[in-house]
Amino acid sequence: MNRTSDSLIKIAATFVILLAVVVGGGLGSCAAYNSLRVWNAQVAGEAQLAQATQNRRIAVLEAQAALDSAKLKASAEVERAKGLAAANRIVADSLGGPEGYLRYLYIQNLEESKGQIIYVPTEGGLPILEAGKRGYSAD
């Protein structure tokens, strides 16, 4: 019986040790899994932060480029207007002032509008609308 009880004690001790290893391993693997999840979440958060920072930098650079473009376009428009004003001034001075220039533009528009109805303002500023429609009889 001594031998059987020693054998039972060895089997029980082996079972207890095996049970302790399985339970300890399970608990250890749970702790390792939780640590891995925390680390993975931290790395994912850092990646998202880096992506958001990069997206913000891109948006700022695009906005700066749009601002620079708008400033340059406005500057070009101002320079174009200055050139046009100088050209108009030269033409107006050569035609005897603003009134002569306006008369010149009026004549140019008359030449371009062949075959169209043109309303010519009278001295009162009102156009003559029905001048040619009434027939006058010579009695």
Side-chain angles (χ1 to χ4, degrees):
M1 197 135 145
N2 202 4
R3 204 170 184 201
T4 322
S5 73
D6 283 342
S7 160
L8 283 175
I9 291 175
K10 284 183 182 179
I11 291 175
T14 304
F15 180 71
V16 168
I17 291 173
L18 183 62
L19 184 63
V21 167
V22 168
V23 170
L27 292 175
S29 65
C30 285
Y33 174 72
N34 284 334
S35 295
L36 183 63
R37 269 190 17 204
V38 169
W39 177 80
N40 195 14
Q42 181 180 359
V43 169
E46 289 172 0
Q48 287 177 346
L49 178 63
Q51 183 68 38
T53 302
Q54 184 65 21
N55 289 342
R56 185 173 47 113
R57 285 183 186 152
I58 290 170
V60 167
L61 289 174
E62 286 176 347
Q64 186 65 43
L67 177 64
D68 293 344
S69 174
K71 284 181 180 179
L72 290 174
K73 285 180 181 177
S75 178
E77 188 66 23
V78 167
E79 291 302 317
R80 188 192 69 75
K82 285 179 183 177
L84 186 59
N88 285 341
R89 196 174 314 109
I90 291 169
V91 172
D93 289 345
S94 70
L95 293 173
E99 289 297 322
Y101 185 49
L102 290 175
R103 191 173 302 113
Y104 168 76
L105 290 177
Y106 174 72
I107 292 169
Q108 290 290 49
N109 283 331
L110 285 177
E111 288 179 2
E112 292 175 9
S113 61
K114 292 182 180 175
Q116 295 180 359
I117 297 175
I118 300 172
Y119 294 105
V120 179
T122 61
E123 290 182 20
L126 299 172
I128 300 173
L129 300 176
E130 304 289 330
K133 292 208 173 180
R134 286 195 180 165
Y136 292 103
S137 62
D139 291 325

